[in-house]
Amino acid sequence: MITSFAPHAGAGTGDDVLNTSTAPGVRMSGSGGVRRIMPSIEVVAKEAGVSTATAGRALGGYGSVSAKSREAVLAAAERLGYRANSLARSMITGLTHTLGVLVPDIENPFFSRALRGIADTAHAKGWEVLLVNTDEDLTLERKALGVLAERRVDGMVVAPTDAADRDTLKAVIDAGIPVVLLDRRVPGLDADTVGIDNRAAARDATERLLKLGHRSIALLTGGDEHLRAKLARPGLRGVERIAGTTVGARTAGYRDALLEAGVEPRPELVSAEGFRREDAAEATTRLLALPEPPTAILALDSLLALGVLQALRRLGLRCPADVSLVSFDDADWAEAISPPLSVVAQPIYELGAEAGRLLLDRVQGSERRVTHRRLPTRFIERESARSLL
């Protein structure tokens, strides 16, 4: 499903509709007795005291216009409620002023917050955003890429479902549509990326649990049977080569910290049962039923952390008295629960905003070298992890 995302949309008021006949130079839209006034570009030009051609250039974002004239035209357009004809503008500029965004799970707070950053950045520059939720389904992602290309979006921000599907994204780029990858990378793809240093962040979080005396630390991530097979290798060897999602890098960071502390990684403590809260709850129940259950759990996103807490409540266990918990992402609820949750806070809004900026830069003709932006994370220590020392 493709959705137009407008974070600042609001309800209209009675001031913007009139039941009148059409005035010269005014377009009307709507049906029935109530119709919306749509001033033409000629009316805007007259209001601003400039020629129609100058008004067209100022509103379309092309050609040469003095700062004074542009300011006058934009102010007049704002007063009159002018809305540009996007089809006419695209014929002149070659741009539709529309960006596509593909995310794997819009219910995940990470992607919903990042989307807000993308949309705010795009709207501030006059671009609209079309959103597609792929549900971590490669078939849906491929179809969505084709549909957005057919709709002539000027560029796309993509959090890819499968890094092995490089050819589909490459075809989009080869067709002249810029792509920026968010959160996830596709090896060998010539595209800008925005994310964090996942390996370093996971290593730091694991080291903090080790310093508290924990030696049996579980890692909880989303995934499927293919990912589970890769995570089941003895000693978690080669997990850093798992591409496409953040799981490989974060698992490698977790493994690195354990080995540095002299703790042999136990593959049975690494769980990839699914992406939903209930999946995480079931995985937690299984982990805690092991002969040597974990004393701490590192959840790789906030939805999974909620599943852990749900399972602990069902089992009659307490956090951190019975099991310590640390999670990636500082969700809105993380500080409000009891005990407050210790987290690896990612600058999620800023990640989305940076992806939007890089994409707009490409759309507007930048031929700079491929850019890989890595924004810093911050560990917020609260009360969900206790010392065993």
Side-chain angles (χ1 to χ4, degrees):
M1 182 180 71
I2 297 179
T3 304
S4 178
F5 187 81
H8 297 300
T13 66
D15 294 332
D16 58 13
V17 289
L18 291 175
N19 184 13
T20 64
S21 59
T22 305
V26 173
R27 299 190 306 274
M28 306 296 291
S29 68
S31 60
V34 179
R35 296 178 293 175
R36 185 180 299 273
I37 293 180
M38 296 290 288
S40 68
I41 196 169
E42 292 86 355
V43 172
V44 174
K46 183 177 180 181
E47 174 75 10
V50 300
S51 68
T52 301
T54 296
R57 290 195 297 272
L59 293 167
Y62 63 91
S64 177
V65 184
S66 71
K68 181 179 179 181
S69 294
R70 179 178 288 105
E71 191 174 307
V73 170
L74 295 179
E78 179 71 21
R79 289 194 301 272
L80 295 171
Y82 173 81
R83 184 178 180 86
N85 184 315
S86 59
L87 177 59
R89 181 171 61 182
S90 68
M91 293 174 65
I92 296 170
T93 65
L95 298 172
T96 62
H97 282 72
T98 305
L99 305 178
V101 178
L102 285 81
V103 298
D105 183 7
I106 194 59
E107 291 184 350
N108 187 313
F110 175 91
F111 291 111
S112 58
R113 182 64 176 161
L115 173 62
R116 184 58 183 263
I118 297 168
D120 284 352
T121 301
H123 292 153
K125 298 295 184 180
W127 262 260
E128 299 299 325
V129 171
L130 294 180
L131 168 67
V132 181
N133 184 54
T134 63
D135 280 327
E136 298 282 2
D137 186 315
L138 182 57
T139 301
L140 285 178
E141 179 176 293
R142 289 172 174 169
K143 182 178 179 180
L145 288 168
V147 170
L148 289 175
E150 290 174 359
R151 293 196 178 199
R152 300 182 63 237
V153 296
D154 297 322
M156 302 185 200
V157 175
V158 182
T161 296
D162 187 348
D165 192 46
R166 181 180 62 188
D167 290 345
T168 303
L169 286 168
K170 185 176 183 299
V172 172
I173 295 171
D174 289 345
I177 303 174
V179 170
V180 173
L181 301 182
L182 173 67
D183 187 50
R184 306 171 176 186
R185 300 183 70 169
V186 176
L189 187 69
D190 192 24
D192 297 328
T193 65
V194 180
I196 65 167
D197 187 336
N198 286 287
R199 189 167 181 168
R203 177 172 181 149
D204 177 68
T206 307
E207 287 175 345
R208 291 172 183 272
L209 289 170
L210 289 163
K211 288 176 182 177
L212 291 174
H214 295 277
R215 292 296 180 268
S216 181
I217 303 171
L219 183 75
L220 190 60
T221 182
D224 54 24
E225 60 186 38
H226 302 294
L227 181 59
R228 286 195 290 276
K230 295 176 181 177
L231 294 174
R233 296 166 182 160
L236 300 176
R237 292 194 303 270
V239 291
E240 61 270 23
R241 293 193 292 274
I242 298 174
T245 72
T246 60
V247 174
R250 292 182 183 179
T251 305
Y254 159 84
R255 178 204 61 197
D256 295 346
L258 293 177
L259 291 175
E260 182 68 23
V263 178
E264 183 65 24
R266 293 165 52 194
E268 70 270 21
L269 290 182
V270 179
S271 179
E273 299 298 329
F275 298 94
R276 308 299 181 186
R277 182 173 64 181
E278 189 57 43
D279 297 327
E282 293 176 3
T284 301
T285 301
R286 181 186 62 78
L287 287 167
L288 295 176
L290 290 172
E292 296 182 44
T295 60
I297 297 175
L298 174 59
L300 294 193
D301 70 44
S302 59
L303 271 183
L304 299 177
L306 275 176
V308 174
L309 294 171
Q310 181 177 316
L312 293 180
R313 185 177 65 252
R314 290 174 180 173
L315 295 169
L317 300 175
R318 296 169 298 161
C319 173
D322 299 305
V323 181
S324 292
L325 174 62
V326 170
S327 174
F328 271 73
D329 301 336
D330 189 22
D332 292 341
W333 51 264
E335 193 173 13
I337 63 172
S338 180
L341 186 64
S342 296
V343 299
V344 179
Q346 300 187 72
I348 301 174
Y349 179 90
E350 290 76 12
L351 289 169
E354 183 64 14
R357 284 190 289 268
L358 288 177
L359 184 57
L360 288 173
D361 188 40
R362 290 291 186 197
V363 164
Q364 296 174 92
S366 174
E367 296 183 0
R368 57 175 165 72
R369 296 177 63 181
V370 169
T371 299
H372 301 298
R373 291 273 196 272
R374 292 294 169 265
L375 303 189
T377 60
R378 180 169 60 100
F379 190 88
I380 303 176
E381 184 175 351
R382 295 187 177 122
E383 301 172 26
S384 62
R386 75 180 183 97
S387 174
L388 300 182
L389 300 176

